[in-house]
Amino acid sequence: MPELPEVETIRRRLAPLVQGRVLRAIEVLDPRWCEPLHPEALSGALVERRLEALDRRGKYLVWEARDEVFLLMHLRMTGTVLYDAPPLTPYVRVRMTLDDGHRLSLCDPRRFGTGELALDRSALDAFLRARLGVEPLGPGFTSDHLLTMTRGRRLPIKAFLLDQRRIAGVGNIYANEALFRARIHPLRETGKLKRNQVAALRDAVVGALSAGIDAGGASIDDFRHPDGVKGAFQNEFLVHGRDGRPCLVCGATVVKLVVAGRGTYACERCQTRPRRARRAGGGGGPRQRA
Ligand SMILES: [Zn+2]
């Protein structure tokens, strides 16, 4: 569930607390977290190194330790990183101790999160390049670039937005919010969007992600800030999770569909359903994976 704004919220809150600190210990309580790497190999590469930076790419938290040793942490469904977690905090999979005595705990009830190492910057770049497309809050995410990426693509635009190899960091919530902001139906064929729609979508993706970051992310279930506080963006959703309730723009009832296997929310008055999908009936269109 943590998407770009949630990971970025964790990064911004943790960075000033960890940058410049030396990692004294890293205990992997659940070895599955860093498979196929052995926990001792992981801790051997990181312990006693100074943390130079805490960065983010897409939904990855990138811990840079001295001499270009990188820990790539992906939080997947339910991961969160707590700073000085209270005793007996459940679901701790990894614990890191800093030289100032403070501790970081990776809590992950569903245990889908992962930890991987990259042992120099070119290995890091290759790792990220193989998995992630353009960074939506970076300078490369222009409407011209998005237009080029969308040409010839026949999948529904919702599925396109969820593909991390195209745009990194957008997940289900922010894809729903961005399509509503851009007034584009989630089932619309990606390659058929007009230039002005693509420009609106680019701005809507940036707008939805930025609003999420400004609100400290969304806490629907497990997401917490490093100090245990919940994000507030769930109170600001324009369309996500609002099925059966009136559209905030026009008052029509928000509907729930399934697109790319994910719960998808739309106002079909503001976001006109494409003709072919209309003929196919009310359901939700093709259940294809992004
Ligand atoms: Zn509406």
Side-chain angles (χ1 to χ4, degrees):
M1 208 289 295
E3 303 181 28
L4 186 157
E6 287 73 37
V7 180
E8 179 63 16
T9 296
I10 290 174
R11 190 200 70 76
R12 289 186 184 186
R13 294 212 175 16
L14 276 186
L17 302 170
V18 304
Q19 279 170 6
R21 304 260 54 106
V22 173
L23 197 58
R24 283 280 183 253
I26 175 163
E27 300 162 76
V28 179
L29 308 176
D30 175 6
R32 241 180 45 183
W33 175 71
C34 57
E35 264 175 9
L37 208 59
H38 194 279
E40 279 175 21
L42 183 115
S43 66
L46 289 163
V47 165
E48 297 306 330
R49 281 183 197 276
R50 193 172 64 223
L51 295 169
E52 305 284 10
L54 183 60
D55 294 322
R56 179 195 56 73
R57 258 294 265 138
K59 304 182 199 173
Y60 282 93
L61 261 184
V62 182
W63 305 70
E64 179 183 353
R66 203 175 161 188
D67 299 326
E68 298 192 358
V69 176
F70 298 91
L71 169 63
L72 294 126
M73 206 182 256
H74 199 300
L75 303 172
R76 301 285 168 199
M77 303 282 291
T78 57
T80 194
V81 183
L82 297 178
Y83 187 77
D84 289 339
L88 305 177
T89 295
Y91 308 115
V92 175
R93 298 180 73 198
V94 180
R95 204 178 284 129
M96 297 157 81
T97 306
L98 304 174
D99 61 345
D100 58 6
H102 290 284
R103 297 220 288 193
L104 304 164
S105 302
L106 170 68
C107 299
D108 186 9
R110 296 190 62 183
R111 306 204 304 164
F112 288 119
T114 54
E116 289 165 88
L117 282 182
L119 293 179
D120 61 40
R121 195 166 292 278
S122 65
L124 173 75
D125 291 344
F127 180 98
L128 295 172
R129 208 178 312 114
R131 290 163 178 81
L132 300 178
V134 63
E135 185 67 30
L137 298 182
F141 187 55
T142 62
S143 57
D144 282 346
H145 184 48
L146 184 58
L147 186 70
T148 307
M149 282 197 289
T150 56
R151 293 309 89 178
R153 303 299 309 277
R154 300 198 59 187
L155 74 178
I157 185 62
K158 171 74 186 281
F160 175 87
L161 287 178
L162 294 176
D163 184 350
Q164 301 301 300
R165 291 160 302 173
R166 301 285 158 182
I167 305 171
V170 177
N172 195 41
I173 291 175
Y174 294 91
N176 287 337
E177 293 289 300
L179 288 168
F180 178 78
R181 283 168 175 250
R183 303 173 67 95
I184 295 169
H185 196 283
L187 287 174
R188 202 159 278 281
E189 187 176 320
T190 301
K192 289 194 173 162
L193 291 177
K194 298 187 171 64
R195 175 179 283 274
N196 65 328
Q197 289 179 303
V198 170
L201 183 57
R202 181 264 167 207
D203 291 347
V205 167
V206 172
L209 293 173
S210 303
I213 291 171
D214 289 345
S219 290
I220 291 184
D221 35 50
D222 300 280
F223 173 71
R224 300 285 183 280
H225 297 178
D227 58 3
V229 171
K230 291 185 181 188
F233 194 57
Q234 66 280 6
N235 305 321
E236 298 176 26
F237 291 159
L238 302 177
V239 73
H240 183 85
R242 298 193 72 254
D243 49 317
R245 295 164 68 190
C247 168
L248 294 171
V249 172
C250 76
T253 303
V254 172
V255 297
K256 182 176 183 182
L257 320 162
V258 177
V259 183
R262 307 296 303 275
T264 297
Y265 303 86
C267 167
E268 294 195 308
R269 191 185 287 166
C270 292
Q271 301 162 269
T272 315
R273 190 179 259 255
R275 266 202 200 87
R276 197 182 306 155
R278 244 180 271 169
R279 271 206 305 277
R287 276 175 177 261
Q288 61 192 90
R289 276 265 152 213

